[in-house]
Amino acid sequence: MHDKYISSDESYQEYLDRLDNEILLRSRDRKIEEANNEIDNLLNKTKENIIKYINMQFHKDINNFISTLSKQQILDIQDRLFDYTSIEELKNSIKKHQ
């Protein structure tokens, strides 16, 4: 029946064992790929959540900081606001000019 798939050195039982092993390997590979995809999805969701948290924290920090400034200080930094790369840099600049 499967004579053309059986090598001359293997018995029919060895052939069936080899097929079983191939099936198990394919099943294992599929499960590994599914697990890797699930891990990738979890990592992507975690990354998105971290970015959202950082953005929220930045907005909270900048809001708290700006609420302590006078109108004149806000006007002074308004033109250069996009030159700052961090809230700390902005705070330091304000402190130098006070």
Side-chain angles (χ1 to χ4, degrees):
M1 179 167 133
H2 299 286
D3 291 341
K4 63 182 180 179
Y5 300 108
I6 300 174
S7 70
S8 59
D9 294 335
E10 75 181 339
S11 68
Y12 188 69
Q13 184 60 45
E14 290 171 331
Y15 167 74
L16 292 177
D17 289 344
R18 184 169 50 87
L19 285 179
D20 283 345
N21 285 336
E22 288 176 11
I23 291 168
L24 289 172
L25 288 173
R26 277 189 243 132
S27 176
R28 181 205 64 192
D29 291 345
R30 187 180 68 249
K31 288 178 182 177
I32 289 172
E33 183 161 345
E34 288 171 1
N36 284 339
N37 288 339
E38 189 173 332
I39 289 169
D40 287 344
N41 288 337
L42 289 172
L43 289 173
N44 286 336
K45 286 179 184 178
T46 302
K47 179 181 174 182
E48 289 172 15
N49 288 335
I50 289 171
I51 290 170
K52 286 178 186 177
Y53 174 78
I54 289 170
N55 287 337
M56 281 184 355
Q57 191 62 42
F58 176 77
H59 290 296
K60 183 179 173 185
D61 288 348
I62 194 93
N63 188 37
N64 291 341
F65 175 67
I66 289 177
S67 67
T68 65
L69 299 176
S70 69
K71 287 181 182 179
Q72 186 57 48
Q73 287 173 311
I74 292 172
L75 292 173
D76 289 343
I77 64 169
Q78 190 174 18
D79 292 333
R80 297 186 2 224
L81 188 58
F82 293 105
D83 294 340
Y84 299 105
T85 58
S86 71
I87 188 69
E88 293 305 317
E89 186 179 341
L90 175 60
K91 287 178 182 179
N92 292 336
S93 176
I94 297 296
K95 286 177 185 176
K96 287 179 188 176
H97 293 92
Q98 286 181 337

